[in-house]
Amino acid sequence: MTARPAERTREREVGRARARKEDAHLVTGQTRWTDNISVPGMLHMAVLRSPMAHARIDRVDAAPALERPGVVAAFTGRDLAGGLAPLPCVWPVTDDIVMPDHPPVAVGEVRYAGDPVAVVVARDRYAAADALEAVDVDYTPLEPVLDLEAALAEGAPLVHADKGTNRCYVWPLTTGEDWEPVRDRADVVVSRRFRQQRLVPNAMEPRAVVVTPIAASGEYTLHSATQIPHILRLLLAKVTGIPEQKLRVIAPDVGGGFGSKLQVYGEEAVALAVARALGRPVKWTESRSEGYLATHHGRGQIQDVRIAATREGRLLGLKVDLLADMGAYLMLITPGTPLLGAFMYPAIYKMDAYAFTCTGVFTTRTPTDAYRGAGRPEATFAIERVMDELAAELGMDPLDLRRRNWIGHDEFPYTSIAGLTYDSGDYEAATDKALALFGYEGMRAEQQERVRRGDPVRLGIGISTYTEMCGVAPSRVLGDLRYAAGGWEAAGVRLLPTGKAEVVTGTSPHGQGHVTCWSQIAADVLGVPFEDVEVVHGDTRAAPQGMDTYGSRSLVVGGTAVHEAARKVVEKARRIAAHLLEAGEDDLDFAEGVFSVKGSPEARRTIQEIAFDAFSSHDLPEGMEPTLHAGHVVDPDEFSYPHGTHLCAVDVDTETGRTRIRSYVCVDDVGRVVNPVIVEGQVHGGLAQGIGQALYEEAVYDADGNLTSGTMADYLVPSAVDLPEFTTERTETPATTNPLGVKGVGEAGTIASTPAVVNAVVDALRPLGVTDVPMPCTPERVWRAIRQARGGEGGPAQTGNGEDRPPQTGNGEGGPPPAGRPEGAEPTDGRAAGPGGEGPA
């Protein structure tokens, strides 16, 4: 029944630069976004949001909205409260964490500008939006809570008065030797405060949800622009009380997420509740401005970092104290997000002591949660920035300091001071390659020449050598960290009677290229053409098992599941082939989709022929089930650890403060590469996002707690014209913890690039006495930092939310500093001079 392929010799798929299968419909207008979905009888929902950061709701009356044309229903928070449980947080990081209720629509009090207050349902979206103005709400303003340190002070206004504190939790981690004696014996201790500004995720597709009820059976189908259809189904069943088996969640084409769609949003729960109440389909799609207010934000930390070293530059210890902005409520993994970086602050370096503490703080701002990298970009930024500061203090080249302390290629597997076992890597190779591409020595010579001649445009060179913990997976580790779910992933592979293949995956792509990569993996194992593989995903009915996509886990965990499921299919096919060819299983060779008897190559059968034999089931081995399919669930023992070296050169105009990236080189090691085109795209996108944080992006609030950068006109997402040409290369040390040898790549560019750029900016200005520029390093902030270093003109660099400090120049905890060396100054002896117990030993 199945034609034998004419040509069986072919190039291996894994490693091949295939064009993406999924792009054809994306670029030809055939995409199925959630907002494109229209269902007969569908109603539209709009959400009225709080205009205040913190206020008591004295009265809310939605009835006047019902008088508006086209309006079908209107609901307040109290109307919905009976049918909806609070929104979930699945990561209670400590026993005593403060976890306030998070109603999908506010009841009694609003706690951030954008907090939902009421919903209106109408026959079209414009009627629903227009009717919002008819909802009558009386507010009594309450004092906003915006400053992380002030929020913890005694007598501070409270975000949740019934909890009696704005402190959400304190999470400590101490490993190796105690910090204090290590600090005391150090020759140098450098202390710095860094600030991770809030960022607004900007996925290309805004959030949207469509709920279709089937009243007769009590079933609901929910389409959502989500990264996590399986997790969403489980948790919406709990929030709404709809039986899980009656709820089907579909993530159709999803236009990006960057973590912002790793969430269970109130609008999804409310749409289900409204559809249940009215018995009609309901759609909601956010506007871009609405998304800025109500889609969770990322980052938002104050990092106090201390690093101790010998005068020769050997690291002794690291101490990190974080204040992490939770925002007004705990969303899905809000408390755990900064802790994903807790194990990465020591990065690729060897040291004797590590102490970490994170304090979560409630504020009256949009809740925070995962954003590309989730905790790891913050950790990499802190360690790579403070390494540069330490090198300056010691009078060393920052690259030499890194070399002196990183883990050697012959030391793997290596257990870091934070307790993670890095399976493989070669930091020397990646760095050597990057240096050659960058022309490091030439750049340094030019930099000195510019300083010598007093060029107003200074050259800065930034270094970032990173690793990251990705492939979020080991369920036992997640359990130890009190995360509610596991980290496994599932896949199924079935060979159809015609010899074509279907891969069913629990991952849920939203731009990553899973369809292409999973096809490549399955095609190699099964020996079938790449074009003959179809991938099914994003539908809890079609792909019922999965833990979805986030944390650079899909290839490492989901791709491995595909590989193993395909191997099981081949093994079943082998048994059938042996039976039909009257040979022992061990007497068969399998290559390029053909089973042949050793020594008798003419006795052969293709796997496509066997697929039909398994379907017809006329002559199968005794006891074998018909059809050719298999499933596999992977729960790895370890994370994966990609790494790399990023080098950035910037021109900084000291008269205007303008920064221009002149050269950017990165050499990443992501293990074995399945598709180099896709890896390249992931790296480019990550670089753009990391550079965006370094130079352009910030969620700015005014003194009343209003988001003043709430549109794309006010919040600069860099475009191609704002970015340089990237020089990208790779080294390859295969992962030893999965059969594919792969590591994650989705977040690497973002993690590494931010400190590389900021280090370059500071490096350019260090001869002027500048030791820090708060992010984003806008022309104004650069200019102010220069003016301040020259004698206080220009004042402290402002960030608009009251949390910032002037660039710290000292080595002690708040003490006066020598900081970087101003031009003409003599080098220091590398001994810290700050007070507070952090001075020279």
Side-chain angles (χ1 to χ4, degrees):
M1 291 293 295
T2 304
R4 177 175 294 182
E7 180 54 70
R8 283 282 174 184
T9 301
R10 61 180 180 84
E11 183 181 348
R12 278 186 61 80
E13 287 295 336
V14 170
R16 190 172 177 184
R18 281 279 191 184
R20 299 189 349 154
K21 278 185 172 181
E22 47 271 80
D23 284 350
H25 78 286
L26 293 173
V27 299
T28 55
Q30 300 173 70
T31 314
R32 195 172 186 234
W33 308 116
T34 299
D35 192 49
N36 295 146
I37 295 169
S38 183
V39 182
M42 186 172 71
L43 301 173
H44 297 260
M45 186 176 83
V47 181
L48 181 67
R49 301 185 182 278
S50 169
M52 300 182 181
H54 197 194
R56 185 173 64 244
I57 302 174
D58 297 317
R59 186 178 68 89
V60 54
D61 183 4
L66 298 174
E67 305 301 320
R68 294 299 184 96
V71 173
V72 174
F75 302 88
T76 67
R78 292 195 188 283
D79 296 333
L80 296 167
L84 292 176
L87 296 175
C89 171
V90 300
W91 204 340
V93 297
T94 62
D95 286 333
D96 58 352
I97 184 173
V98 174
M99 299 186 69
D101 284 347
H102 183 183
V105 178
V107 177
E109 192 167 316
V110 290
R111 296 183 170 88
Y112 67 95
D115 208 352
V117 175
V119 297
V120 172
V121 185
R123 291 189 175 84
D124 67 67
R125 64 182 303 178
Y126 306 104
D130 288 347
L132 291 179
E133 64 181 11
V135 178
D136 196 6
V137 188
D138 291 335
Y139 297 101
T140 296
L142 301 172
E143 194 170 348
V145 181
L146 303 172
D147 185 292
L148 295 182
E149 291 178 302
L152 297 176
E154 190 169 349
L158 298 175
V159 181
H160 299 274
D162 60 320
K163 300 301 180 185
T165 180
N166 290 322
R167 182 178 283 103
C168 177
Y169 67 87
V170 178
W171 192 93
L173 173 68
T174 301
T175 60
E177 300 178 32
D178 291 340
W179 161 254
E180 286 77 12
V182 167
R183 176 201 60 193
D184 292 344
R185 75 168 188 262
D187 297 319
V188 177
V189 178
V190 172
S191 301
R192 290 291 185 271
R193 166 168 286 199
F194 302 123
R195 178 179 168 277
Q196 293 283 329
Q197 77 272 35
R198 272 179 170 251
L199 299 175
V200 179
N202 275 283
M204 188 174 291
E205 180 200 17
R207 291 188 292 126
V209 57
V210 176
V211 177
T212 305
I214 304 175
S217 59
E219 296 178 70
Y220 297 83
T221 298
L222 182 144
H223 289 79
S224 179
T226 181
Q227 298 176 221
I228 53 167
H230 299 91
I231 295 172
L232 187 62
R233 179 197 192 206
L234 165 64
L235 295 176
L236 283 180
K238 288 182 170 294
V239 170
T240 64
I242 295 170
E244 187 178 354
Q245 77 277 12
K246 297 288 189 182
L247 180 58
R248 176 185 183 184
V249 174
I250 300 174
D253 288 319
V254 177
F258 312 124
S260 70
K261 295 172 181 173
L262 165 55
Q263 194 54 265
V264 177
Y265 283 103
E267 293 86 354
E268 293 165 321
V270 171
L272 267 172
V274 170
R276 177 169 58 185
L278 302 178
R280 294 179 60 176
V282 172
K283 175 192 279 190
W284 172 81
T285 302
E286 72 176 359
S287 68
R288 184 64 69 178
S289 298
E290 196 175 21
Y292 270 56
L293 287 173
T295 297
H296 75 240
H297 291 179
R299 316 284 193 262
Q301 295 180 6
I302 297 174
Q303 303 171 306
D304 286 311
V305 184
R306 299 165 183 82
I307 193 164
T310 66
R311 192 171 297 106
E312 293 74 30
R314 188 177 86 77
L315 298 188
L316 297 177
L318 179 70
K319 188 173 192 300
V320 177
D321 292 292
L322 295 187
L323 291 180
D325 187 351
M326 304 285 99
Y329 299 101
L330 302 182
M331 298 193 73
L332 194 63
I333 60 168
T334 300
T337 297
L339 305 187
L340 286 169
F343 302 92
M344 298 311 304
Y345 280 87
I348 65 173
Y349 306 117
K350 296 178 282 189
M351 59 187 75
D352 303 328
Y354 175 51
F356 172 92
T357 302
C358 178
T359 301
V361 184
F362 290 111
T363 62
T364 52
R365 292 192 279 201
T366 300
T368 60
D369 209 295
Y371 176 62
R372 200 167 188 174
R376 290 153 291 167
E378 297 94 310
T380 301
F381 179 86
I383 184 65
E384 290 303 289
R385 279 289 296 115
V386 84
M387 286 293 283
D388 262 30
E389 295 304 302
L390 177 62
E393 191 57 37
L394 294 172
M396 294 179 63
D397 185 295
L399 194 57
D400 290 340
L401 179 65
R402 286 170 169 82
R403 279 199 177 104
R404 192 164 299 187
N405 289 283
W406 68 34
I407 301 158
H409 68 276
D410 55 350
E411 296 181 87
F412 290 94
Y414 185 90
T415 300
S416 76
I417 187 72
L420 299 175
T421 300
Y422 303 161
D423 62 317
S424 64
D426 190 337
Y427 309 139
E428 300 99 314
T431 301
D432 289 346
K433 199 167 192 175
L435 291 173
L437 291 167
F438 189 72
Y440 186 77
E441 296 301 329
M443 287 278 190
R444 284 292 183 204
E446 180 183 342
Q447 181 184 46
Q448 290 303 313
E449 171 57 23
R450 287 204 206 178
V451 171
R452 187 194 62 76
R453 68 172 185 255
D455 193 326
V457 178
R458 297 301 175 95
L459 174 61
I461 298 167
I463 302 167
S464 173
T465 52
Y466 78 99
T467 188
E468 63 156 323
M469 172 185 79
C470 67
V472 175
S475 296
R476 59 177 175 76
V477 175
L478 297 178
D480 291 343
L481 294 173
R482 305 174 61 89
Y483 181 67
W488 51 266
E489 192 49 80
V493 173
R494 51 191 180 230
L495 220 50
L496 304 177
T498 55
K500 311 300 182 185
E502 284 183 336
V503 171
V504 180
T505 177
T507 63
S508 190
H510 39 283
Q512 292 86 350
H514 293 184
V515 172
T516 302
C517 290
W518 286 197
S519 294
Q520 291 178 275
I521 292 169
D524 269 357
V525 177
L526 298 172
V528 302
F530 168 81
E531 296 79 6
D532 285 357
V533 182
E534 200 65 41
V535 178
V536 178
H537 62 82
D539 182 340
T540 58
R541 188 154 292 173
Q545 288 188 302
M547 294 300 289
D548 306 317
T549 292
Y550 44 86
S552 298
R553 70 186 300 273
S554 291
L555 179 59
V556 175
V557 192
T560 299
V562 171
H563 181 266
E564 293 300 301
R567 282 168 49 91
K568 287 182 177 179
V569 168
V570 171
E571 289 310 304
K572 182 174 182 179
R574 178 186 295 276
R575 291 180 57 196
I576 298 172
H579 174 76
L580 296 175
L581 294 170
E582 298 181 343
E585 293 179 37
D586 294 339
D587 294 329
L588 295 182
D589 288 326
F590 179 66
E592 298 186 356
V594 177
F595 291 99
S596 59
V597 179
K598 294 176 181 174
S600 302
E602 69 284 357
R604 49 188 280 154
R605 213 160 180 95
T606 69
I607 196 167
Q608 290 93 339
E609 292 170 331
I610 292 171
F612 189 83
D613 293 329
F615 165 73
S616 63
S617 303
H618 296 164
D619 185 15
L620 295 181
E622 187 69 27
M624 176 173 283
E625 294 180 353
T627 76
L628 199 51
H629 70 275
H632 194 84
V633 179
V634 169
D635 193 352
D637 292 331
E638 295 292 345
F639 299 99
S640 80
Y641 300 97
H643 69 83
T645 297
H646 289 217
L647 301 174
C648 177
V650 298
D651 289 325
V652 181
D653 189 325
T654 59
E655 296 177 346
T656 66
R658 181 175 181 271
T659 297
R660 182 183 72 89
I661 297 179
R662 167 175 151 178
S663 175
Y664 197 101
V665 171
C666 62
V667 176
D668 295 292
D669 190 327
V670 297
R672 289 213 170 92
V673 171
V674 173
N675 187 317
V677 173
I678 289 176
V679 167
E680 191 78 356
Q682 290 274 17
V683 171
H684 276 235
L687 293 177
Q689 234 156 348
I691 292 170
Q693 178 174 8
L695 296 180
Y696 302 115
E697 300 184 34
E698 181 175 25
V700 178
Y701 285 81
D702 67 15
D704 295 321
N706 300 303
L707 181 65
T708 60
S709 54
T711 72
M712 281 191 158
D714 309 298
Y715 185 100
L716 178 53
V717 178
S719 67
V721 299
D722 302 305
L723 298 168
E725 292 285 333
F726 301 129
T727 301
T728 60
E729 261 293 353
R730 291 189 300 277
T731 55
E732 183 175 305
T733 53
T736 63
T737 53
N738 65 74
L740 295 170
V742 296
K743 305 176 182 179
V745 67
E747 295 157 316
T750 302
I751 288 170
S753 57
T754 308
V757 174
V758 176
N759 276 341
V761 172
V762 175
D763 184 62
L765 304 178
R766 198 178 293 281
L768 305 177
V770 174
T771 60
D772 195 22
V773 179
M775 293 188 293
C777 302
T778 61
E780 180 188 359
R781 286 188 177 145
V782 170
W783 182 85
R784 287 184 181 278
I786 295 170
R787 300 278 286 182
Q788 186 191 31
R790 284 174 169 170
E793 296 177 65
Q798 298 295 316
T799 59
N801 64 7
E803 288 176 358
D804 302 308
R805 301 289 183 273
Q808 282 204 317
T809 55
N811 304 322
E813 297 176 335
R821 295 191 298 278
E823 286 180 38
E826 291 297 319
T828 69
D829 64 358
R831 295 170 67 85
E838 305 291 1

